[in-house]
C-alpha cells in the first residue's frame, strides 16, 4: 500500500510540475550532422553575442531564432557573430540591424563562407533600428 501511495504522489507531483517544463523549439533541438551546421549552434552564438552586447551597453535586447528552413555546411572553425545593417529599400524606408552568425572556413574547402541572419528585438518586441 505504501508503494502504491508513493507512486501516486510521484505522479501527482509530475503532473503539477508539467506546466513549468518548457518544450524546446526545433531550432534548439537541431544539432546538425557531419555535413550540416546545427541551428542550435547558430542560435547559441547569436544569444552569446547579444548577451555580451547587453552587458556592455546596459540594454535588454534579445535575439530571435534563425529561420528553421536554413541549411548551411558544417563549419571547421568556431562560429563568429557581428552586427549587420539591413537596408529595407531606399533612404525613406527604415533599416534594421541583425546579428550575422558566420563561418569563415568549411570542412569541405570547395564550399563558400556563409552567414545566417538572426533578428534582434528590444523590450517592446520592436526590431532594432540603431545600435550604440
Amino acid at each position: 500500500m505504501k508503494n502504491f501511495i508513493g507512486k501516486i504522489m510521484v505522479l501527482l507531483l509530475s503532473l503539477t510540475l508539467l506546466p513549468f517544463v518548457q518544450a524546446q523549439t526545433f531550432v534548439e533541438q537541431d544539432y546538425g550532422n557531419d555535413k550540416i551546421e546545427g541551428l542550435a549552434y547558430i542560435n547559441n552564438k547569436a544569444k552569446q553575442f547579444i548577451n555580451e552586447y547587453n552587458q556592455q551597453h546596459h540594454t535588454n535586447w534579445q535575439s530571435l531564432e534563425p529561420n528553421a528552413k536554413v541549411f548551411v555546411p558544417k563549419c571547421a572553425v568556431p562560429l563568429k557573430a557581428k552586427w549587420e545593417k539591413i537596408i529595407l529599400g531606399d533612404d525613406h524606408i527604415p533599416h534594421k540591424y541583425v546579428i550575422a552568425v558566420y563561418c569563415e572556413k568549411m570542412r569541405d574547402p570547395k564550399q563558400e563562407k556563409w552567414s545566417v541572419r538572426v533578428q534582434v528585438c528590444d523590450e517592446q518586441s520592436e526590431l532594432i533600428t540603431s545600435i550604440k
Side-chain angles (χ1 to χ4, degrees):
M1 186 68 166
K2 284 184 180 181
N3 192 20
F4 177 73
I5 293 173
K7 288 181 181 180
I8 294 294
M9 294 296 285
V10 169
L11 178 64
L12 289 174
L13 181 60
S14 298
L15 291 175
T16 304
L17 295 176
L18 191 60
F20 299 104
V21 176
Q22 187 175 11
Q24 287 187 317
T25 65
F26 173 78
V27 168
E28 293 170 326
Q29 295 178 45
D30 179 26
Y31 287 96
N33 57 39
D34 60 334
K35 295 182 181 180
I36 297 172
E37 189 67 46
L39 292 173
Y41 299 120
I42 295 168
N43 192 41
N44 289 341
K45 187 63 181 179
K47 285 181 179 182
Q48 176 190 8
F49 179 84
I50 200 64
N51 287 339
E52 290 172 5
Y53 183 87
N54 284 336
Q55 288 179 350
Q56 293 171 0
H57 295 90
H58 309 289
T59 52
N60 191 25
W61 296 349
Q62 73 180 97
S63 61
L64 305 177
E65 290 188 337
N67 185 329
K69 295 179 183 178
V70 169
F71 289 96
V72 290
K74 193 72 168 180
C75 197
V77 296
L79 297 176
K80 294 185 178 182
K82 64 182 178 182
W83 285 114
E84 185 174 304
K85 184 177 181 178
I86 305 295
I87 306 296
L88 300 175
D90 59 26
D91 291 336
H92 303 290
I93 298 175
H95 56 272
K96 67 179 179 177
Y97 285 88
V98 296
I99 299 169
V101 177
Y102 61 99
C103 178
E104 295 183 322
K105 183 180 177 187
M106 278 3 89
R107 286 189 177 175
D108 181 348
K110 298 175 199 164
Q111 295 172 321
E112 295 183 22
K113 299 175 185 179
W114 55 257
S115 175
V116 175
R117 295 173 175 164
V118 180
Q119 295 194 53
V120 179
C121 66
D122 62 16
E123 296 89 351
Q124 290 79 36
S125 298
E126 298 288 331
L127 295 178
I128 302 302
T129 57
S130 67
I131 56 176
K132 298 177 185 179

